[in-house]
Amino acid sequence: DTAVSQTPKYLVTQMGNDKSIKCEQNLGHDTMYWYKQDSKKFLKIMFSYNNKELIINETVPNRFSPKSPDKAHLNLHINSLELGDSAVYFCASSQVMSREQYFGPGTRLTVT
Amino acid sequence: ILNVEQSPQSLHVQEGDSTNFTCSFPSSNFYALHWYRWETAKSPEALFVMTLNGDEKKKGRISATLNTKEGYSYLYIKGSQPEDSATYLCAFREQGAQKLVFGQGTRLTINP
């Protein structure tokens, strides 16, 4: 059973389009995260939700909007995609914020 | 801006040898230090969460130590095996903060 799953795994799209990446966890965790792996391969936090409430909102363009319909899901919607949005996006979850995080397989987004 | 640095950036080790590498983080306002193992084409997998100065954790042939006063953690691998080849990430959490700040990783390659 996959603990943290993301769809799609690969996403190729054109500049200006709007796209969503979905994340689901079946671990019963309360906290979920979105990370972006930047060009230098660093993992940078974008957002975090705890029990459907936004608790971390880093300096991210407002074209990026997370949505958490329930505790098990955290989706990432991106409007007006730009070339610089090309990256690998990872979803993660943890039981509470202080515990280890479980990562999804990543979504490689390519904007052309 | 929090600085989490890992050294070396990459490391080649002969199978059977033992190795270690370092994570440096701010020595003030420490809350927790995480270690993750990230195999190519997979997602990061939690190894340890360390919270107390002087902590030592072990999982099989992998162990980690923590010095919060001087701001470093060592990860040790004893008797390296090819399956240990991966990028090892550390992540620091500051007191009062909710996010993890990741280092850039140490890429370990075990030569058979």
Side-chain angles (χ1 to χ4, degrees):
Chain A
D1 270 351
T2 307
V4 182
S5 59
Q6 292 179 230
T7 52
K9 198 164 179 184
Y10 300 96
L11 183 53
V12 181
T13 188
Q14 289 186 322
M15 278 176 58
N17 283 350
D18 303 339
K19 290 291 177 188
S20 291
I21 308 172
K22 296 189 175 186
C23 178
E24 177 180 0
Q25 54 96 3
N26 62 7
L27 298 166
H29 288 168
D30 285 341
T31 309
M32 294 185 73
Y33 312 82
W34 275 111
Y35 287 90
K36 180 180 180 181
Q37 186 184 12
D38 67 17
S39 55
K40 293 184 180 178
K41 306 293 184 190
F42 277 91
L43 279 175
K44 295 269 177 73
I45 185 76
M46 299 173 70
F47 303 103
S48 177
Y49 271 73
N50 185 55
N51 273 320
K52 300 198 298 172
E53 183 187 339
L54 181 66
I55 50 170
I56 296 177
N57 187 356
E58 287 292 287
T59 309
V60 174
N62 57 17
R63 299 181 294 102
F64 289 77
S65 52
K67 294 247 181 339
S68 182
D70 55 58
K71 234 171 62 161
H73 296 85
L74 180 60
N75 304 323
L76 184 65
H77 188 75
I78 316 169
N79 286 331
S80 304
L81 278 154
E82 299 177 359
L83 291 176
D85 297 332
S86 295
V88 183
Y89 293 85
F90 286 92
C91 175
S93 73
S94 62
Q95 192 173 21
V96 292
M97 291 215 74
S98 55
R99 297 287 298 270
E100 66 271 22
Q101 297 184 11
Y102 291 76
F103 284 81
T107 295
R108 182 175 291 277
L109 171 66
T110 305
V111 183
T112 60
Chain B
I1 297 174
L2 288 177
N3 219 16
V4 179
E5 292 189 359
Q6 292 186 245
S7 62
Q9 282 197 23
S10 68
L11 190 53
H12 289 253
V13 173
Q14 208 59 35
E15 183 177 352
D17 288 352
S18 296
T19 187
N20 65 84
F21 30 91
T22 310
C23 173
S24 301
F25 50 85
S27 57
S28 56
N29 297 324
F30 176 86
Y31 185 80
L33 195 280
H34 294 219
W35 279 101
Y36 290 84
R37 183 168 172 275
W38 193 356
E39 286 182 73
T40 304
K42 294 191 178 178
S43 43
E45 181 188 331
L47 287 172
F48 307 113
V49 177
M50 308 178 82
T51 54
L52 297 174
N53 184 41
D55 238 358
E56 183 167 341
K57 297 224 171 179
K58 193 173 177 184
K59 193 184 246 186
R61 293 179 292 99
I62 304 177
S63 60
T65 59
L66 180 68
N67 183 325
T68 61
K69 295 195 187 310
E70 294 181 44
Y72 65 84
S73 175
Y74 291 136
L75 191 83
Y76 298 90
I77 302 179
K78 192 175 171 183
S80 305
Q81 299 297 308
E83 60 265 29
D84 296 329
S85 295
T87 296
Y88 291 83
L89 295 172
C90 69
F92 169 76
R93 186 173 162 199
E94 193 179 29
Q95 279 254 8
Q98 291 167 328
K99 67 178 183 182
L100 288 179
V101 177
F102 280 83
Q104 80 276 31
T106 291
R107 186 179 181 87
L108 176 66
T109 304
I110 307 301
N111 300 316

